[in-house]
């Protein structure tokens, strides 16, 4: 691929960011509209128990995340041999169609199926989009390129999700998904017009890409994302009920809280990209520790809206800063399997999404209260830190063993 001009580079990156903005909306706007979705799609359960209805509606989050988990390795691995710009056009179009199904389907079961479909292109879009961004930005900017692609997702949490939540609360939750569909349609056109053409790599078959799973450190890195990031989603999935039921604030505070959370994610993502380029391992361990601490403080102070909003910002900052750090770590340990590795990061994050949302709903349904997901999230973050420490320890011992073996050969 020839080096694009600054204007073409900016256009391509903005096109990719529009798509990631749409993904951020479709993934996260559901979390602020669980009561509205439960009321419409689960009326019988809602009449019997609002807690059970909201917990059941939370499965829509898990179904989307399951789609990401399934789609990221299979799609990214299967399309690695094709030109990336064509793949991105197809992925953006698929996101448009599947979210259109969510908009129009009438029952909870069918909407759940559409959420599964909508999640399938998610990981491949971000994974391949990150590789394109790295190429057009040039060498020496890997983590910054990853952070740029993710910026659309985080900005969606500042602007798109609060707007979608407002529309959903006042006009019905489907209006939020209408906006999502329109954004993906624009992204499809923009990607077609701006992303530079590049020949595919016919040698990169699905079988070749799947060899990434033979690398032990890949599994450790995926485990950090799946378990540790699940701690964030246990909190974020139930922000609406934290604000209204735990802090006792009016419903209009939910979109404002989501804006603050989105700001934390946006700033954290940019900071995390910088820290990953400075010292990846130290940054990853420090940010996971910060995620644990901020969740503890949120759990202890969620009854007051001021501290709830402050520590929700802190939790989202720490969690989002972890994201480019894990993405870069995964690319470091994946060898030649870059396409599938970049996508697997989002597969792992959405395993955390599914785990966090399901666990948060389970502790609510079990009667532990609406603040219980925060505690559950903290323990998941602890698990992620433990996996990271073990993974780095295994790597360190492996390096020492190889050095000793090389010394013996030399002697």
């Amino acid at each position: 691929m020839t080096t694009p001009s600054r204007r073409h580079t900016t256009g391509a990156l903005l096109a990719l960011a529009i798509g990631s903005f749409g993904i951020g909306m479709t993934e996260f706007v559901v979390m602020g509209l669980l009561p509205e979705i439960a009321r419409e799609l689960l009326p019988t359960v809602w009449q019997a128990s609002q807690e059970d209805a909201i917990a059941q509606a939370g499965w829509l989050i898990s179904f989307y995340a399951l789609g990401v988990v399934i789609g990221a390795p299979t799609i990214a691995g299967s399309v690695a041999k094709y030109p990336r710009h064509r793949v991105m056009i197809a992925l953006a179009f698929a996101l448009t169609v599947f979210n259109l199904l969510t908009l129009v389907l009438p029952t909870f079961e069918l909407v759940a199926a559409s959420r599964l479909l909508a999640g399938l292109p998610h990981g491949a879009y971000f994974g391949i989009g990150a590789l394109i961004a790295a190429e057009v930005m040039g060498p020496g900017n890997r983590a910054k390129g990853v952070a740029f692609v993710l910026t659309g997702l985080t900005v969606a949490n500042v602007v798109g999700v609060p707007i979608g939540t407002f529309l959903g609360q006042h006009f019905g939750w489907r209006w939020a998904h209408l906006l999502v569909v329109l954004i993906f349609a624009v992204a499809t056109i923009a990607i077609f017009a701006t992303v530079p053409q590049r020949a595919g790599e016919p040698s990169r078959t699905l079988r070749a890409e799947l060899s990434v799973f033979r690398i032990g450190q890949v599994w450790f890195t995926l485990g950090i994302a799946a378990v540790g990031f699940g701690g964030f989603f246990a909190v974020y999935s139930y922000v609406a009920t934290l604000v209204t039921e735990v802090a006792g604030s009016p419903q209009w505070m939910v979109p404002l809280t989501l804006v603050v959370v989105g700001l934390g994610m946006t700033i954290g993502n940019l900071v995390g990209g910088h820290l990953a380029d400075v010292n990846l391992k130290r940054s990853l361990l420090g940010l996971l520790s910060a995620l644990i601490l901020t969740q503890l403080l949120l759990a202890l102070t969620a009854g007051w809206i001021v501290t709830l909003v402050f520590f929700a910002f802190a939790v989202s900052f720490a969690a989002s800063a972890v994201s480019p750090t894990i993405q870069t770590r995964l690319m470091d340990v994946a060898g030649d399997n870059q396409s599938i590795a970049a996508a697997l990061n989002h597969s792992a994050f959405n395993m955390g999404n599914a785990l966090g949302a399901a666990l948060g709903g389970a502790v609510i349904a079990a009667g532990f209260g609406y603040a219980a997901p925060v505690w559950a999230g903290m323990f998941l973050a602890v698990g992620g830190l433990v996996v990271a420490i073990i993974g780095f320890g295994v790597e360190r011992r492996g390096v020492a063993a190889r050095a000793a073996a090389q010394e013996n050969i030399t002697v």
Side-chain angles (χ1 to χ4, degrees):
M1 183 180 73
T2 57
T3 303
S5 66
R6 180 183 295 271
R7 179 170 62 85
H8 288 98
T9 296
T10 302
L13 292 176
L14 286 176
L16 295 172
I18 292 171
S20 64
F21 183 94
I23 290 177
M25 273 203 69
T26 193
E27 181 174 17
F28 297 126
V29 75
V30 171
M31 299 173 183
L33 295 173
L34 287 182
E36 287 74 19
I37 294 172
R39 191 183 300 113
E40 177 185 330
L41 297 182
L42 300 166
T44 303
V45 181
W46 180 268
Q47 290 294 327
S49 170
Q50 293 186 13
E51 287 187 354
D52 288 345
I54 291 173
Q56 188 172 334
W59 280 100
L60 295 179
I61 302 169
S62 299
F63 272 105
Y64 181 91
L66 180 61
V68 181
V69 172
I70 296 170
T74 54
I75 294 177
S78 299
V79 302
K81 62 182 179 181
Y82 298 111
R84 287 174 181 165
H85 70 286
R86 294 183 183 177
V87 171
M88 293 303 292
I89 294 169
L91 292 172
F93 180 74
L95 285 162
T96 306
V97 173
F98 293 148
N99 279 278
L100 180 61
L101 293 178
T102 299
L103 173 65
V104 300
L105 290 174
T107 67
F108 179 80
E109 291 77 13
L110 290 174
V111 169
S114 75
R115 295 302 292 164
L116 176 69
L117 292 173
L120 292 175
H122 174 128
Y125 182 97
F126 274 116
I128 298 171
L131 295 177
I132 292 174
E135 280 187 322
V136 300
M137 290 181 71
N141 293 296
R142 289 182 313 144
K144 294 182 183 68
V146 171
F148 189 94
V149 174
L150 291 173
T151 296
L153 185 150
T154 57
V155 170
N157 286 277
V158 181
V159 181
V161 172
I163 291 175
T165 302
F166 177 85
L167 290 173
Q169 289 177 341
H170 291 81
F171 304 103
W173 66 270
R174 294 182 191 272
W175 280 87
H177 276 82
L178 174 60
L179 181 57
V180 168
V181 171
L182 294 175
I183 291 169
F184 279 129
V186 171
T188 304
I189 296 170
I191 290 170
F192 175 81
T194 63
V195 171
Q197 297 185 16
R198 180 183 185 276
E201 300 178 41
S203 63
R204 299 314 304 173
T205 63
L206 176 60
R207 182 176 180 179
E209 289 288 312
L210 290 177
S211 64
V212 73
F213 290 110
R214 300 174 185 171
I215 304 172
Q217 284 300 318
V218 167
W219 286 102
F220 278 114
T221 308
L222 294 177
I224 297 168
V227 179
F229 216 70
F232 171 64
F233 282 109
V235 177
Y236 195 20
S237 300
Y238 300 95
V239 164
T241 48
L242 273 175
V243 171
T244 58
E245 303 298 329
V246 178
S249 295
Q251 191 179 54
W252 57 262
M253 274 299 302
V254 175
L256 294 180
T257 304
L258 290 172
V259 169
V260 174
V261 170
L263 286 171
M265 293 179 69
T266 302
I267 299 170
N269 174 59
L270 296 174
V271 172
H274 172 74
L275 292 177
D277 283 330
V278 174
N279 190 313
L280 193 148
K281 293 182 182 180
R282 186 178 299 172
S283 297
L284 181 55
L285 294 175
L287 290 168
L288 285 170
S289 300
L291 180 59
I292 295 167
L293 177 61
T294 53
Q295 286 179 308
L296 172 63
L297 295 172
L298 175 61
L300 293 174
T301 63
W304 187 30
I305 189 62
V306 174
T307 51
L308 186 154
V309 171
F310 177 82
F311 286 117
F313 172 88
V315 168
S316 63
F317 175 93
S320 192
V322 168
S323 181
T325 308
I326 293 180
Q327 177 78 84
T328 306
R329 170 67 177 172
L330 192 55
M331 293 169 69
D332 282 346
V333 300
D336 294 330
N337 308 292
Q338 293 294 298
S339 293
I340 193 169
L344 280 172
N345 183 46
H346 298 278
S347 182
F349 279 143
N350 279 271
M351 289 179 66
N353 186 340
L355 177 62
L359 184 59
V363 293
I364 290 175
F368 290 105
Y370 287 111
V374 184
W375 291 103
M378 185 191 72
F379 286 110
L380 286 175
V382 170
L385 179 60
V386 170
V387 173
I389 292 171
I390 294 173
F392 287 139
V394 170
E395 182 181 53
R396 186 166 54 251
R397 287 193 294 273
V399 170
R402 287 191 295 271
Q406 184 64 36
E407 184 178 342
N408 290 334
I409 292 173
T410 304
V411 174

